[in-house]
Amino acid sequence: MALQIPFHKAYTDSREVEALTDVIQSGWLTMGPKTFEFENEFAQKIGCSQAIAVSSCTAALHLALVAAGIGPGDEVIIPAMTFVATAEAVSYTGANVILCDVKKTDATIDPEAIERLISSKTRAIIPVHFGGTVCDMDSIMAIASRHNLTVIEDAAHALPSLCNGSMVGTIGDFTCFSFYATKTLTTGEGGMVTCKNEAAAERIRQLRLHGINKEAWNRYSKGGRWVYDVTETGFKYNMTDVQAALGLVQLAKLDEAADKRRRIAKSYDCAFLDNASLVPYTTEPSVESANHLYVLRLSDEASVNRDTMINHLTNAGIGTSVHYIPLYRFTSFKMRAYNFEDFPNCEWLYQRSLSLPIYPSMTEEETAHVSKSVLGCLQKGGEL
Ligand SMILES: *Cc1c(COP(=O)(O)O)cnc(C)c1O
């Protein structure tokens, strides 16, 4: 039988099943001891002082923006090459989304393009660590400090990623992680904010659960008190202990999973080395990527286009995806009258990119089948 290789498979086994059984039997399902244990372990893993677990990365971004004081009339610069959640979180605050072009080399936000977009209303930048590759954080932090801007990293792809030996999660003012089903650590749905500032962390802790002061979660437990205060209008963005129980198991497997991803990426790199039909993705030597995505880019010399390649791989039983359709191409952004010409690199990337399967449980045989199918398609011009 031909191999069937989906685009993604979650890295779960009996350890997650046991953890879920235990948490259900504990009798406490929503935010409680498991969530706080997960936050502590996560903070330790990243090497940051504050980690706040929430319901998604979208919620994490929203809360970080609120904690940074972003609101109506403000401008927030984000790359156009990202998932729509990055922009939507900005819109929730009433601030204006300012789309920025990315670098051709690694699809991360272009610091020079950021500088050109800064106005008197700019308050924050949200760099997105595309595919796990860390943005040029030295330049971005320097720009932010010159213009007094908050840096909120969208690290949905960057667990665990490093830059100059520092873990993503310890660099900007706030860092937001996703534990969505396809991410490198999953709790089904979930997210985390890390930050250095203790007061900001405390505000996010209250905002994630209706603005209730922090002892409130345990008002139902033994010795808990019924009295609580609501300090400001908050959100229903808390994590649950069911999610956290999954997260703790996934966190313990993080390094092992990252090694497996790295090996798959290396194997693809070897197979595609020096192929004139492909444009290799170049990253800075100081960056260690989480390898959340493996993006293939077809050169102008390639005999096939991206869509033909996707069809060819689908016929070979291989799932693929495209990261991303640039945000200005969506109906909800068209009203804002963006010019495609303002984003030459996003367009260049969008026209020729496709993402190949990369997940820890992929076997060598499966990885080789994907590489062979890609090379076969390039040679035969898409005919099976
Ligand atoms: C997945 C993703 C998000 C949203 O994460 P959720 O946890 O689903 O809210 C945000 N940004 C990027 C770049 C993503 O890939």
Side-chain angles (χ1 to χ4, degrees):
M1 211 195 91
L3 283 171
Q4 288 296 318
I5 305 167
F7 178 65
H8 178 76
K9 244 191 245 178
Y11 190 44
T12 53
D13 53 51
S14 59
R15 288 175 277 184
E16 278 84 356
V17 176
E18 276 167 37
L20 282 177
T21 306
D22 288 349
V23 73
I24 291 165
Q25 284 173 345
S26 81
W28 188 265
L29 300 183
T30 189
M31 187 167 72
K34 280 284 163 206
T35 305
F36 305 132
E37 191 185 333
F38 181 42
E39 288 177 340
N40 288 336
E41 300 268 324
F42 191 89
Q44 228 165 44
K45 180 83 207 165
I46 297 291
C48 62
S49 59
Q50 305 290 334
I52 308 108
V54 290
S55 54
S56 68
C57 181
T58 311
L61 289 164
H62 186 194
L63 291 177
L65 286 157
V66 173
I70 309 297
D74 294 339
E75 291 182 355
V76 178
I77 298 173
I78 73 166
M81 183 57 77
T82 184
F83 183 56
V84 70
T86 319
E88 285 174 339
V90 173
S91 300
Y92 298 163
T93 67
N96 292 319
V97 176
I98 306 298
L99 297 182
C100 184
D101 204 9
V102 297
K103 291 183 289 173
K104 230 176 182 179
T105 49
D106 64 2
T108 63
I109 194 163
D110 179 358
E112 284 172 26
I114 293 176
E115 295 249 44
R116 291 196 290 274
L117 292 170
I118 288 174
S119 78
S120 60
K121 294 178 185 159
T122 310
R123 294 282 173 274
I125 308 168
I126 310 185
V128 177
H129 303 304
F130 184 93
T133 301
V134 186
C135 299
D136 179 354
M137 292 308 292
D138 286 346
S139 302
I140 293 168
M141 295 308 286
I143 293 169
S145 105
R146 265 203 307 284
H147 298 274
N148 198 20
L149 310 174
T150 302
V151 175
I152 301 170
E153 296 167 64
D154 181 334
H157 301 178
L159 181 66
S161 288
L162 289 103
C163 180
N164 291 320
S166 301
M167 284 283 274
V168 166
T170 61
I171 305 168
D173 298 298
F174 299 89
T175 307
C176 302
F177 295 91
S178 174
F179 308 136
Y180 179 68
T182 58
K183 302 291 159 69
T184 56
L185 182 162
T186 185
T187 60
E189 299 280 356
M192 189 80 78
V193 189
T194 64
C195 69
K196 292 174 192 137
N197 186 299
E198 204 174 317
E202 205 43 57
R203 181 138 180 249
I204 291 174
R205 282 195 184 92
Q206 300 196 10
L207 284 171
R208 75 173 155 184
L209 192 66
H210 305 295
I212 294 173
N213 60 346
K214 79 166 186 186
E215 306 305 334
W217 70 270
N218 70 0
R219 65 190 189 273
Y220 301 110
S221 64
K222 202 169 151 227
R225 293 188 64 216
W226 61 267
V227 182
Y228 61 88
D229 191 19
V230 177
T231 51
E232 64 179 311
T233 301
F235 305 91
K236 178 61 180 175
Y237 279 168
N238 62 283
M239 181 172 270
T240 71
D241 269 18
V242 178
Q243 291 165 304
L246 277 176
L248 280 161
V249 177
Q250 291 263 303
L251 192 60
K253 303 200 297 200
L254 189 66
D255 290 337
E256 159 195 331
D259 278 346
K260 291 183 193 231
R261 284 173 183 282
R262 195 174 305 123
R263 225 170 297 154
I264 296 163
K266 282 237 172 78
S267 156
Y268 283 150
D269 282 346
C270 282
F272 303 143
L273 193 70
D274 295 331
N275 191 312
S277 298
L278 300 170
V279 187
Y281 197 81
T282 51
T283 54
E284 298 299 322
S286 55
V287 167
E288 247 179 80
S289 172
N291 296 300
H292 170 59
L293 299 176
Y294 192 93
V295 179
L296 202 66
R297 313 187 306 178
L298 298 169
S299 72
D300 292 333
E301 282 121 84
S303 58
V304 291
N305 65 20
R306 186 261 312 277
D307 296 351
T308 309
M309 175 66 81
I310 288 178
N311 287 337
H312 179 93
L313 295 178
T314 305
N315 290 333
I318 299 162
T320 55
S321 189
V322 173
H323 296 89
Y324 284 97
I325 302 169
L327 296 183
Y328 51 81
R329 283 179 161 264
F330 292 125
T331 304
S332 99
F333 288 81
K334 282 188 184 144
M335 297 179 281
R336 303 176 216 182
Y338 286 109
N339 280 324
F340 285 24
E341 301 84 71
D342 292 337
F343 308 95
N345 295 343
C346 285
E347 275 303 295
W348 185 86
L349 288 161
Y350 171 60
Q351 303 289 350
R352 65 192 66 238
S353 297
L354 69 150
S355 304
L356 299 180
I358 180 164
Y359 46 86
S361 64
M362 258 183 105
T363 63
E364 276 176 40
E365 190 194 8
E366 288 171 328
T367 312
H369 176 62
V370 176
S371 308
K372 264 193 220 133
S373 302
V374 167
L375 295 173
C377 178
L378 292 173
Q379 268 159 22
K380 283 180 275 178
E383 291 151 44
L384 275 178

